[in-house]
């Protein structure tokens, strides 16, 4: 087990120097997602998705985060986009199944 507060602080330091560092954005988003702080997580995944629209990892996490926030319309569009990036993706298919 690690000290996730220290990890989060390190990513914050990286983002203060390089606000578009996709690794720091993604993993900061994941920390918030795992804490169920979806309102915080969504901001990080959205930045990556806007920078790299066909990045699967950011797109699927952006979709799931929107799903958890009950933004079902946005989540549906993002799950569909994830399927364009990775056809037959199990995670995106599961998400769409939960919405429809």
């Amino acid at each position: 087990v690690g000290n996730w507060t220290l990890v989060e602080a390190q990513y914050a330091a990286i983002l203060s120097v390089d606000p578009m560092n996709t690794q720091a954005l993604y993993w900061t988003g994941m920390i918030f997602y795992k804490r169920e702080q979806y309102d915080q997580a969504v901001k990080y995944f959205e930045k990556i998705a806007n920078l790299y629209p066909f990045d699967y990892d950011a797109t699927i996490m952006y979709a799931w985060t929107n799903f958890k926030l009950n933004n079902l319309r946005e989540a549906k569009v993002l799950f569909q986009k994830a399927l364009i990036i990775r056809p037959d993706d199990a995670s995106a298919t599961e998400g769409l199944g939960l919405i429809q």
Side-chain angles (χ1 to χ4, degrees):
V1 182
N3 187 334
W4 287 104
T5 304
L6 291 176
V7 174
E8 182 184 354
Q10 188 65 42
Y11 286 134
I14 292 167
L15 292 171
S16 72
V17 175
D18 180 8
M20 297 303 173
N21 183 298
T22 55
Q23 289 295 311
L25 288 169
Y26 180 81
W27 290 109
T28 301
M30 289 301 294
I31 290 168
F32 284 119
Y33 186 89
K34 293 293 185 182
R35 289 182 185 158
E36 299 181 3
Q37 294 175 301
Y38 306 118
D39 58 329
Q40 293 296 314
V42 75
K43 299 172 192 176
Y44 294 91
F45 298 130
E46 180 180 27
K47 283 184 184 179
I48 304 167
N50 287 334
L51 284 170
Y52 299 99
F54 293 101
D55 180 283
Y56 168 79
D57 295 317
T59 300
I60 198 70
M61 288 311 303
Y62 190 26
W64 279 112
T65 306
N66 272 284
F67 178 82
K68 296 289 189 175
L69 289 168
N70 207 34
N71 299 332
L72 300 183
R73 184 170 168 246
E74 182 73 17
K76 181 177 181 179
V77 169
L78 290 162
F79 285 131
Q80 290 169 335
K81 185 177 179 182
L83 284 172
I84 291 170
I85 299 167
R86 278 197 193 161
D88 301 321
D89 180 66
S91 183
T93 302
E94 177 187 354
L96 280 176
L98 293 171
I99 293 171
Q100 297 172 355

